[in-house]
């Protein structure tokens, strides 16, 4: 999971007293890389780390500043400039002027609506832009895929087109975009631009839209309220922790466990996930969850015949390929095996890693993996489940012992 930190959000907006042109300064240009990192660490790191542990999912945080500096992003941006006439009405339906902000290299301020920022030249060597700073006057900036300058501050729709086109070129990974429900209409414009650029169907982005959180008025709950006016400006029924996870009245793990439980409740009937909820209803649900202690464990699905062997204590070694999820398992970790509405909680007694299944069976007891099958039968069964490219990741043998008897979910 990759979380995007939009440090190009406007930190301050001013009007040029002479031209009345709006200029903005991004969070990155106002605070700098180190201060942005401190904000992410302070507000999000504990939450992300707890969420990673609760869901057994690796994660990374990438700022927009880091993203726009990559060769892949810049190369895709330059490709879109060649078709700007085809996409501009998708990216700016009301006026057809695509906002490409190139901050002044001396002070970092940029025209908010890019009124006087122009594409002056485009060829195989890159693109040259001209712009005007209200303090330092006209300036010129050149960009190419190999240079991380100048800073490319693209408007929201344009940024998403470039990002999703760049990700779509990676055919070895299935990228799924997670977006808030308020983005459903914006994505229609993004998809229109992607279509105008000739994006093949197989490279069109896959998206999942999360429920939209509404204020009591029915409007989308705005984070800018908290940032600009403080907690006192929040509407009735809006708890501060709904916008600031550090304000949760308890441990971060408890907050994350409540969120994970909430998502599980909504997904018991997916129609509940694809709708909006008021802050009052979400608050009620979050505080109404069962008070029983949450036992965090690595989750694994398993076939019934193996589930039954674990439940009776006859299977004491579980075999998996050594993918990213399995690399996080350590001696003493808990694993919750699930099968057909039942679950078993086990504790890891040991971990052994091998290059292949054959090598694994040279060192592991065949009966501990499956007392009902020979080595040859087990190898045949395992390789029906895991193709060669999965086995190439390596093999992990996990020693397990029962913690509690199987019970319904």
């Amino acid at each position: 999971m990759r979380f995007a930190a939009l440090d190009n959000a406007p930190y301050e907006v001013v009007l040029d007293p002479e031209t009345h042109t709006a200029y903005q300064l991004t969070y990155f240009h106002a605070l700098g890389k180190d201060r942005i990192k401190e904000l992410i660490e302070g507000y999000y790191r504990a939450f992300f780390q707890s969420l990673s542990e609760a869901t057994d999912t690796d994660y990374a945080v990438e700022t927009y500043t880091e993203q726009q500096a990559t060769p892949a992003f810049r190369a895709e941006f330059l490709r879109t400039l060649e078709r700007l006439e085809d996409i501009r009405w998708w990216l700016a339906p009301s006026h057809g002027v695509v906002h490409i902000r190139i901050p002044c290299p001396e002070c970092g301020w940029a025209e908010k609506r890019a009124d006087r920022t122009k594409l002056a030249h485009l060829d195989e060597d890159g693109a040259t832009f001209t712009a005007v700073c209200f303090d330092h006057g006209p300036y010129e900036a050149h960009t190419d895929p190999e240079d991380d300058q100048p800073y490319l501050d693209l408007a929201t729709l344009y940024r998403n087109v470039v990002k999703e086109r760049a990700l779509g070129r990676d055919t070895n990974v299935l990228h799924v975009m997670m977006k808030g429900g308020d983005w459903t209409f914006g994505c229609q414009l993004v998809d229109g631009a992607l279509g105008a650029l000739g994006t093949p169907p197989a490279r069109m982005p896959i998206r999942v839209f999360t429920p939209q959180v509404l204020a009591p008025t029915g409007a989308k709950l705005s984070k800018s309220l908290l940032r600009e006016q403080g907690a006192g400006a929040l509407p009735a029924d809006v708890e501060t922790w709904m916008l600031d996870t550090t304000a949760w009245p308890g441990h971060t793990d408890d907050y994350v466990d409540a969120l994970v439980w909430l998502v599980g409740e909504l997904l018991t009937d997916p129609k509940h996930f694809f709708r909006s909820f008021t802050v009052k209803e979400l608050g009620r649900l979050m505080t109404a969850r069962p008070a029983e202690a949450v036992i965090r464990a690595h989750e694994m699905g398993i076939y019934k015949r193996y589930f039954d062997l674990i439940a009776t204590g006859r299977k004491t070694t579980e075999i998996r390929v050594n993918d990213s999820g399995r690399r996080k398992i350590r001696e003493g970790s808990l694993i919750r095996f699930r099968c057909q509405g039942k679950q078993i909680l086990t504790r890891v007694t040991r971990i052994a890693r091998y290059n292949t299944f054959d090598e694994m069976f040279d060192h592991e007891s065949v009966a501990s993996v499956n007392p009902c099958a020979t080595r040859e039968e087990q190898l045949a069964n395992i390789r029906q489940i895991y193709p060669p490219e999965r086995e190439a990741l390596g093999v992990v043998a996990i020693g397990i012992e029962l913690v509690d008897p199987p019970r319904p979910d």
Side-chain angles (χ1 to χ4, degrees):
M1 177 68 74
R2 181 185 301 172
F3 293 98
L6 299 180
D7 58 346
N8 66 320
Y11 180 84
E12 187 178 358
V13 178
V14 300
L15 289 179
D16 182 342
E18 295 183 3
T19 65
H20 300 285
T21 301
Y23 281 81
Q24 73 175 42
L25 191 68
T26 71
Y27 265 77
F28 172 76
H29 289 93
L31 304 180
K33 180 179 180 180
D34 291 342
R35 180 61 181 138
I36 291 294
K37 183 178 179 180
E38 289 178 10
L39 288 175
I40 292 173
E41 292 291 323
Y43 280 102
Y44 299 110
R45 185 63 66 186
F47 171 70
F48 286 159
Q49 190 60 39
S50 179
L51 191 61
S52 176
E53 294 170 359
T55 61
D56 200 18
T57 304
D58 291 330
Y59 78 96
V61 178
E62 181 184 54
T63 64
Y64 171 76
T65 296
E66 294 168 335
Q67 184 184 77
Q68 62 84 37
T70 62
F73 187 97
R74 288 177 174 255
E76 202 62 61
F77 168 67
L78 291 172
R79 293 188 190 102
T80 64
L81 292 180
E82 298 172 3
R83 305 283 298 277
L84 199 56
E85 189 62 30
D86 298 326
I87 63 175
R88 67 188 185 93
W89 287 106
W90 288 106
L91 302 182
S94 60
H95 45 67
V97 179
V98 179
H99 294 164
I100 303 173
R101 291 182 286 267
I102 309 291
C104 173
E106 294 190 56
C107 63
W109 286 87
E111 291 180 303
K112 183 174 180 60
R113 297 177 183 83
D115 304 287
R116 293 179 291 177
T117 301
K118 307 297 182 183
L119 175 61
H121 186 71
L122 176 67
D123 59 25
E124 63 274 8
D125 294 324
T128 300
F129 291 89
T130 58
V132 180
C133 174
F134 66 89
D135 198 23
H136 298 99
Y139 59 94
E140 187 175 278
H142 178 82
T143 183
D144 63 63
E146 301 301 322
D147 192 350
D148 62 2
Q149 294 298 324
Y151 193 97
L152 302 176
D153 184 11
L154 307 183
T156 304
L157 291 172
Y158 199 177
R159 179 182 72 239
N160 277 269
V161 167
V162 175
K163 176 186 71 175
E164 294 182 3
R165 281 270 292 186
L167 290 175
R169 292 184 182 276
D170 183 357
T171 58
N172 295 318
V173 177
L174 175 63
H175 294 277
V176 179
M177 314 294 171
M178 302 292 294
K179 295 182 178 292
D182 58 311
W183 248 93
T184 53
F185 299 108
C187 285
Q188 294 179 26
L189 297 173
V190 171
D191 286 348
L194 291 173
L197 290 169
T199 306
R203 282 180 27 212
M204 291 294 285
I206 297 174
R207 307 184 185 98
V208 174
F209 296 96
T210 62
Q212 186 169 317
V213 182
L214 305 179
T217 60
K220 174 192 171 185
L221 183 61
S222 172
K223 295 186 292 294
S224 60
L225 282 175
L226 189 64
R227 182 178 71 239
E228 296 172 2
Q229 302 179 38
L234 296 177
D237 300 323
V238 178
E239 301 287 348
T240 306
W241 55 261
M242 293 180 175
L243 291 170
D244 178 1
T245 60
T246 64
W248 176 261
H251 196 277
T252 301
D253 287 350
D254 180 60
Y255 177 67
V256 167
D257 290 339
L259 281 178
V260 172
W261 174 85
L262 175 62
V263 171
E265 285 294 295
L266 296 181
L267 289 176
T268 56
D269 188 340
K271 71 181 180 184
H272 296 310
F273 190 81
F274 298 104
R275 60 174 51 163
S276 302
F277 292 86
T278 65
V279 289
K280 185 174 183 178
E281 178 64 5
L282 285 176
R284 184 191 69 79
L285 290 170
M286 287 278 283
T287 55
R289 74 184 177 102
E292 63 184 40
V294 175
I295 300 176
R296 292 191 172 186
H298 299 273
E299 303 281 345
M300 291 189 188
I302 194 168
Y303 294 132
K304 188 176 188 304
R305 60 181 178 274
Y306 302 126
F307 181 92
D308 292 340
L309 289 171
I310 295 174
T312 57
R314 300 175 66 196
K315 177 176 171 62
T316 57
T317 303
E318 173 63 9
I319 305 302
R320 300 282 168 137
V321 294
N322 194 32
D323 56 20
S324 60
R326 258 41 71 180
R327 293 179 196 130
K328 299 171 68 176
I329 297 176
R330 299 288 183 269
E331 186 175 330
S333 297
L334 297 178
I335 298 177
R336 185 180 291 111
F337 291 98
R338 296 185 182 275
C339 177
Q340 298 180 11
K342 293 183 178 181
Q343 58 178 303
I344 306 173
L345 188 63
T346 64
R347 182 177 289 105
V348 176
T349 59
R350 64 184 182 85
I351 293 285
R353 291 182 167 84
Y354 306 99
N355 293 319
T356 66
F357 292 118
D358 288 288
E359 181 187 348
M360 180 272 298
F361 274 123
D362 288 341
H363 297 84
E364 299 291 335
S365 165
V366 173
S368 72
V369 178
N370 182 355
C372 304
T374 66
R375 169 177 172 148
E376 290 70 25
E377 290 171 335
Q378 291 193 52
L379 280 171
N381 289 335
I382 289 173
R383 284 179 169 139
Q384 285 182 343
I385 299 171
Y386 295 114
E389 62 269 20
R390 295 281 287 162
E391 184 176 355
L393 296 172
V395 176
V396 58
I398 308 168
I400 54 175
E401 63 181 9
L402 287 171
V403 174
D404 62 5
R407 60 186 177 85
D409 280 341

